[in-house]
């Protein structure tokens, strides 16, 4: 394994992120090839976390752009501070300033509200730009991003062109509620994060819930692994695992039993039908099948 | 720079991936070569992981990539070994199976071929499939046999018109308006810049959000007569809307969104034939369950779910009811289209249909153009 990748892996571990070779390799390549990294995966597998850890690892700013339906491309770049502009005009009343001077003043940087994309290209040091849940945004937004990513410069008609001296490292995440365009996919490095393996999940639990009983941690991981194989409406992610492990640790549990699982089920299953189905399963065969090593 | 031979190998590998339907861009190939500089070339797994990050764009492509990687980088000199390792089950180039086609499958194929030529249904080729379903087909064949080739063309045009009008109505962007809506400070300021005083206010309207459509289309034996017609409608919608997810089901559920994204309709028909498992009975409940299991994240309050089926279900009606309820809870609206409803003597008495009806917001036929136009009015939230 390449030294840098090993280093990234250990850096990510110190930043409290349990990682594996595919994640570390992708992050390494994204940094060295300076390409955006597109991360997809189920909800709650730690996609956003990768960007946060990257920022911590590089000791740089994290700039987050949360996408949503109807998000306007211009709102991701900059807006003019209209209230401040109005106030300025009002204050200048009676000074009989020429109109073009007035205009020049109120359309200067002091009146500019920088939104995430503009922020990202005006930093002293390359930040990490997290474009979160890009699948929620419209397709127009996607096209606009591609344009910005290609040359890292933005033109504001009133001020001029701003070009990034330190282009950001970009991480995009998607939950696949909609297919992203091929153009975007082809320009990014791609990483699919699946639910963690049993071993990885134990490691995550032990790192994030310090002091948890080793047996309990392994039982929790085993239980989650089995649970994700049951047909559920809402499959629990790593976030649920951690909530649950935390709850169990707070109750000073050292192993799982039926009563304890029932009491704390709300941390894991968040759909009434799922809970009903789970209870029926446990009623039939007990908890044992969920704690068995699966083939 | 990586050694020349290696760069060439990566280019050749890229060509191999392309032949297996990974749409690689030249930039990706260049990046793959560049990536070698940053990877431990002695670590095969690492090279595989690294190249995968560069050359794969979606999870579905990963298995193909891995198979090609195995084949290419293990035995680069032995063409036969490469060919053999690549002969996986899902390879697109695989020759059509020589096994004898099932009766149902043959009929399906004939139906589609007939359609692409705009020809009429061949009544003589019909007496196959489940008896009860066949009787129904016979009862309703008249609907479709009245369409001549010209009428089919007109149908396509009208369907597209409806779909376009719908799309225009649904996707208008925020634009300036005289009154109502939010104050548009930017336009207001611009309009009053030379006056030193705000005299004229400008407003803007909320941007209309597009409705997402999820189409679940029954393509089982009892529905194949309608499938031509219905898929035509789906296709027109698919091309116009930004978000239409299309699934077909009979015994199994198949996602055909990507297939329908192809440009020409003829091409679509050809490609649908590749993905389809159109035969045997229908298990609507099971298919909906599968949908809920893997695709429920596609459905939210801004989503209209349309099920196209005659309700002839060979599965458990309780499963159907449970799964439909699940969809209904998430979706903005659930519409059930049943082409049989166009027949005046039809009553929704099948067990499946009876179980589904109370859970459906809108129940309509889709047997003619008027029915489709009616449907268009229902596709807003």
């Amino acid at each position: 394994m390449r030294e840098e990748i090993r280093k990234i892996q250990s850096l990510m571990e110190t930043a409290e992120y349990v990682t594996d070779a595919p994640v570390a390799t992708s992050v390494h390549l994204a940094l060295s090839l300076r390409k955006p990294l597109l991360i997809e995966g189920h909800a709650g597998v730690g996609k956003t976390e990768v960007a946060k850890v990257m920022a911590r690892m590089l000791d740089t700013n994290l700039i987050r752009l949360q996408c949503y339906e109807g998000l306007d491309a211009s709102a991701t770049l900059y807006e003019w501070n209209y209230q401040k502009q109005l106030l300025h005009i009002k204050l200048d009343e009676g000074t009989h300033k020429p109109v073009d001077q007035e205009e020049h003043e109120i359309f200067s940087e002091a009146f500019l509200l920088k939104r995430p994309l503009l922020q990202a290209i005006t930093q002293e040091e390359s930040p990490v730009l997290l474009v979160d849940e890009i699948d929620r945004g419209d397709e127009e937004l996607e096209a606009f991003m591609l344009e910005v990513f290609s040359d890292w410069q933005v033109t504001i008609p009133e001020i001029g062109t701003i070009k990034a001296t330190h282009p950001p490292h970009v991480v995009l995440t998607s939950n696949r509620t909609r297919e992203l365009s091929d153009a975007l996919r082809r320009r990014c490095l791609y990483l699919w994060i699946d639910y963690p393996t049993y071993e990885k999940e134990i490691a995550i639990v032990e790192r994030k819930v310090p002091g948890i009983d080793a047996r309990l941690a392994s039982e929790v991981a085993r239980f989650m692994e089995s649970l994700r194989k049951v047909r559920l409406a809402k499959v629990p992610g790593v976030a649920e695992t951690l909530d649950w492990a935390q709850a169990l640790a707070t109750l000073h549990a050292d192993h799982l039993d039926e009563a304890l699982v029932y009491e704390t089920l709300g941390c894991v299953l968040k759909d009434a039908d799922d809970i009903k189905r789970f209870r029926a399963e446990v009623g039939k065969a007990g908890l044992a099948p969920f704690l068995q090593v699966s083939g | 720079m990586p050694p020349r031979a290696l760069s060439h190998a990566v280019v050749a590998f890229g060509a191999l991936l392309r032949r297996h339907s990974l749409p690689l861009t030249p930039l990706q190939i260049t990046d793959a070569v560049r990536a070698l500089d940053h990877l431990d070339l002695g670590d095969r797994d690492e090279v595989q992981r690294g190249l995968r990050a560069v050359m794969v764009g979606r999870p579905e492509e990963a298995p193909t990539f891995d198979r090609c990687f195995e084949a290419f980088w293990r035995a680069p000199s032995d063409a036969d070994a490469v060919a053999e390792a690549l002969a996986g089950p899902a390879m697109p180039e695989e020759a059509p199976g020589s096994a004898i086609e099932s009766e149902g499958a043959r009929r399906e194929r004939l139906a589609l071929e007939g359609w692409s030529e705009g020809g009429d249904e061949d009544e003589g080729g019909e007496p196959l499939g489940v008896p009860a379903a066949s009787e129904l087909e016979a009862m309703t064949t008249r609907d479709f046999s009245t369409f001549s080739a010209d009428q089919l063309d007109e149908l396509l045009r009208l369907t597209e018109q409806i779909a376009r009008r719908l799309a225009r109505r649904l996707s208008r962007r925020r634009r300036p308006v005289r009154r109502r809506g939010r104050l548009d400070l930017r336009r207001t300021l611009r309009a009053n810049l030379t006056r030193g005083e705000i005299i004229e206010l400008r407003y803007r309207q909320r941007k209309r959000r597009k409705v997402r459509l999820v189409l679940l289309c029954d393509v089982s034996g009892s529905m194949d007569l309608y499938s031509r017609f219905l898929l035509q409608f789906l296709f027109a919608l698919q091309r116009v809307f930004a978000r239409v997810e299309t699934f077909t089901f009979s015994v199994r559920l198949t996602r055909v969104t990507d297939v329908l994204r192809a440009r020409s309709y003829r091409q679509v028909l050809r490609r649908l034939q590749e993905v389809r498992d159109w035969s045997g009975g229908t298990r609507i409940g099971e298919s909906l369950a599968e949908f809920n299991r893997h695709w429920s994240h596609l459905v939210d309050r801004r989503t209209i779910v349309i099920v196209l089926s005659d309700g002839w279900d060979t599965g458990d009606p309780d499963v159907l009811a449970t799964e439909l309820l699940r969809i209904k809870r998430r979706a903005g609206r659930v519409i059930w289209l049943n082409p049989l409803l166009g027949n005046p003597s039809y009553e929704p008495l099948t067990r499946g249909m009876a179980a589904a009806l109370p859970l459906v917001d809108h129940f309509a036929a889709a047997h003619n153009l008027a029915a489709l136009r009616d449907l268009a009015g229902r596709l807003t939230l």
Side-chain angles (χ1 to χ4, degrees):
Chain A
M1 189 186 275
R2 188 101 170 180
E3 195 46 46
E4 292 99 310
I5 298 181
R6 210 190 303 277
K7 205 170 140 207
I8 283 179
Q9 205 161 347
S10 72
L11 274 170
M12 290 180 93
E13 300 275 346
T14 29
E16 298 285 294
Y17 187 81
V18 178
T19 182
D20 51 25
V23 176
T25 310
S26 300
V27 169
H28 164 65
L29 283 182
L31 293 175
S32 33
L33 300 180
R34 297 220 65 117
K35 288 188 75 87
L37 176 61
L38 170 63
I39 307 178
E40 288 191 317
H42 303 284
V45 292
K47 299 184 290 291
T48 304
E49 205 59 23
V50 173
K52 292 185 183 166
V53 168
M54 265 172 82
R56 236 176 296 160
M57 206 173 79
L58 300 168
D59 193 22
T60 178
N61 289 332
L62 175 72
I63 293 168
R64 182 177 182 154
L65 174 62
Q66 173 69 48
C67 300
Y68 51 86
E69 227 174 304
L71 175 63
D72 225 334
S74 63
T76 65
L77 266 184
Y78 68 91
E79 275 168 302
W80 290 106
N81 191 340
Y82 304 114
Q83 283 82 356
K84 199 173 163 191
Q85 285 174 325
L86 281 175
L87 207 62
H88 189 83
I89 296 173
K90 208 76 185 155
L91 285 172
D92 278 352
E93 258 175 20
T95 57
H96 302 293
K97 238 184 237 175
V99 169
D100 52 346
Q101 193 196 334
E102 183 75 56
E103 182 167 355
H104 185 73
E105 274 178 32
I106 62 170
F107 288 106
S108 63
E109 237 179 303
F111 294 85
L112 193 65
L113 293 173
K114 290 182 183 174
R115 297 302 182 206
L117 284 184
L118 186 59
Q119 273 176 31
I121 63 169
T122 51
Q123 302 274 317
E124 294 292 312
E125 196 186 333
S126 294
V128 173
L129 172 65
L130 167 63
V131 181
D132 216 1
E133 300 186 314
I134 180 140
D135 52 327
R136 282 174 186 260
D138 299 326
E139 284 177 358
E140 296 88 340
L141 183 69
E142 222 177 277
F144 175 74
M145 297 276 182
L146 275 180
E147 210 182 306
V148 174
F149 292 172
S150 66
D151 52 5
W152 290 117
Q153 66 176 28
V154 166
T155 302
I156 303 174
E158 296 87 349
I159 292 183
T161 300
I162 300 176
K163 185 159 174 56
T165 43
H166 301 91
H169 306 284
V170 184
V171 175
L172 304 108
T173 75
S174 158
N175 285 329
R176 304 203 92 196
T177 57
R178 144 177 98 78
E179 275 295 297
L180 302 177
S181 73
D182 274 334
L184 184 76
R185 287 180 182 281
R186 296 295 150 204
R187 260 180 241 183
C188 298
L189 297 184
Y190 183 79
L191 174 64
W192 168 263
I193 303 188
D194 215 330
Y195 291 117
T197 58
Y198 165 65
E199 290 78 15
K200 191 176 168 189
E201 197 150 31
I202 291 186
I204 296 172
V205 168
E206 288 185 333
R207 184 169 287 265
K208 296 278 187 176
V209 187
I212 192 168
D213 185 273
R215 177 179 163 196
L216 180 64
S218 110
E219 283 188 350
V220 165
R222 186 66 77 201
F223 184 89
M224 295 305 280
E225 190 185 28
S226 318
L227 196 60
R228 287 186 190 123
K229 289 190 185 124
V230 182
R231 298 170 171 189
L232 293 174
K234 268 205 165 22
V235 182
V238 181
E240 275 78 13
T241 310
L242 290 177
D243 281 352
W244 192 38
Q246 188 65 59
L248 293 170
T250 313
L251 295 171
H252 302 293
D254 57 4
H255 71 283
L256 289 178
D257 59 45
E258 240 172 82
L260 191 62
V261 170
Y262 278 152
E263 276 168 32
T264 52
L265 202 55
C267 299
V268 183
L269 295 178
K270 295 173 178 174
D271 177 284
D273 285 348
D274 286 351
I275 293 180
K276 222 185 290 169
R277 188 175 303 167
F278 173 79
R279 281 176 180 266
E281 290 277 323
V282 174
K284 257 187 284 170
L287 209 53
F290 286 93
L291 297 175
Q292 263 158 22
V293 182
S294 48
Chain B
M1 276 294 287
R4 256 177 86 88
L6 195 54
S7 307
H8 285 183
V10 168
V11 174
F13 179 53
L16 176 70
L17 289 176
R18 277 212 190 105
R19 280 203 299 281
H20 289 92
S21 300
L22 261 68
L24 288 174
T25 60
L27 179 66
Q28 275 175 300
I29 308 274
T30 323
D31 282 338
V33 175
R34 282 172 60 210
L36 294 175
D37 269 342
H38 303 280
L39 296 167
D40 179 357
L41 298 179
D43 183 341
R44 190 166 178 276
D45 287 345
E46 183 170 307
V47 173
Q48 182 168 4
R49 282 194 300 270
L51 290 185
R52 195 195 289 130
V54 177
M55 299 171 114
V56 167
R58 40 171 58 95
E60 296 78 31
E61 294 168 2
T64 308
F65 173 89
D66 287 342
R67 209 162 44 237
C68 289
F69 188 92
E70 288 298 325
F72 190 89
W73 297 98
R74 180 153 287 161
S77 57
D78 190 347
D80 285 343
V82 174
E84 195 180 346
L86 286 177
M91 287 308 188
E93 277 114 305
E94 206 180 22
S98 57
I100 300 156
E101 290 175 276
S102 74
E103 302 263 75
R106 190 165 70 230
R107 191 173 58 142
E108 227 10 276
R109 183 170 57 77
L110 290 173
L112 278 165
E113 278 171 0
W115 190 16
S116 50
E117 287 147 22
D120 294 339
E121 271 303 318
D122 179 6
E123 295 272 341
E126 285 305 310
L128 302 164
V130 191
S134 284
E135 280 169 31
L136 272 167
E137 277 168 19
M139 260 164 60
T140 49
T141 309
R142 266 168 272 134
D143 274 11
F144 286 104
S145 58
T146 56
F147 283 113
S148 68
D150 310 350
Q151 283 171 313
L152 272 178
D153 280 347
E154 192 190 0
L155 185 75
L156 177 64
R157 219 176 41 245
L158 277 169
T159 310
E160 278 200 47
Q161 252 175 37
I162 292 170
R164 283 224 188 84
R165 204 173 305 151
L166 248 175
R168 199 162 55 232
R169 208 190 303 154
L170 294 175
S171 70
R172 254 175 216 148
R173 304 208 50 163
R174 185 163 49 202
R175 64 210 163 88
V177 288
R178 288 274 153 165
R179 51 180 65 222
R180 302 260 281 276
R182 269 172 66 193
L183 189 65
D184 188 338
L185 273 168
R186 186 167 69 87
R187 287 203 175 83
T188 304
L189 204 66
R190 275 282 183 216
N192 295 282
L193 195 63
T194 53
R195 297 179 179 141
E197 195 81 58
I198 303 296
I199 295 165
E200 197 184 319
L201 297 176
R202 296 289 166 92
Y203 298 92
R204 68 182 166 195
Q205 237 177 5
R206 228 179 103 78
K207 180 177 168 183
R208 281 173 197 254
R209 291 195 303 165
K210 285 178 190 169
V211 174
R212 206 180 295 170
L213 292 183
V214 171
L215 301 155
L216 298 160
C217 182
D218 187 341
V219 289
S220 61
S222 57
M223 285 293 286
D224 58 1
L225 282 177
Y226 305 104
S227 61
R228 311 190 314 169
F229 187 75
L230 299 175
L231 280 174
Q232 200 154 36
F233 182 55
L234 300 195
F235 182 66
L237 281 180
Q238 182 96 39
R239 269 202 294 192
V240 169
F241 278 98
R243 299 193 197 183
V244 181
E245 286 285 342
T246 309
F247 296 81
T248 58
F249 67 89
S250 53
V251 184
R252 280 184 306 134
L253 184 80
T254 315
R255 188 186 191 204
V256 295
T257 305
D258 295 335
V259 180
L260 287 176
R261 210 167 271 155
R263 291 273 156 76
S264 100
Y265 194 57
R266 227 162 254 266
Q267 202 183 335
V268 168
L269 281 182
R270 228 180 4 253
R271 291 181 61 186
L272 266 182
Q273 281 175 279
E274 291 163 15
V275 300
R276 150 196 72 139
D277 58 303
W278 301 4
S279 59
T282 324
R283 296 163 68 90
I284 310 175
E286 297 296 323
S287 302
L288 294 187
E290 206 177 323
F291 173 78
N292 281 331
R293 215 153 40 239
H294 299 295
W295 304 102
S296 65
H297 63 270
L298 297 174
V299 180
D300 62 16
R301 287 275 147 215
R302 298 287 308 164
T303 308
I304 297 176
V305 178
I306 301 178
V307 181
L308 297 159
S309 173
D310 59 3
W312 280 96
D313 187 5
T314 54
D316 182 353
D318 286 343
V319 176
L320 172 59
T322 316
E323 299 301 334
L324 196 61
L325 180 64
R326 234 170 229 284
I327 293 179
K328 184 183 165 59
R329 279 209 208 110
R330 297 182 70 103
R333 181 176 302 150
V334 178
I335 295 175
W336 191 299
L337 297 180
N338 186 342
L340 301 187
L341 202 58
N343 187 313
S345 63
Y346 170 79
E347 283 180 68
L349 295 178
T350 61
R351 292 192 313 155
M353 213 55 250
L357 262 188
L359 300 169
V360 169
D361 296 309
H362 183 58
F363 184 52
H367 67 299
N368 62 22
L369 260 180
L372 285 188
R373 221 174 293 140
D374 286 349
L375 172 69
R378 300 274 177 175
L379 295 183
T380 48
L381 280 174

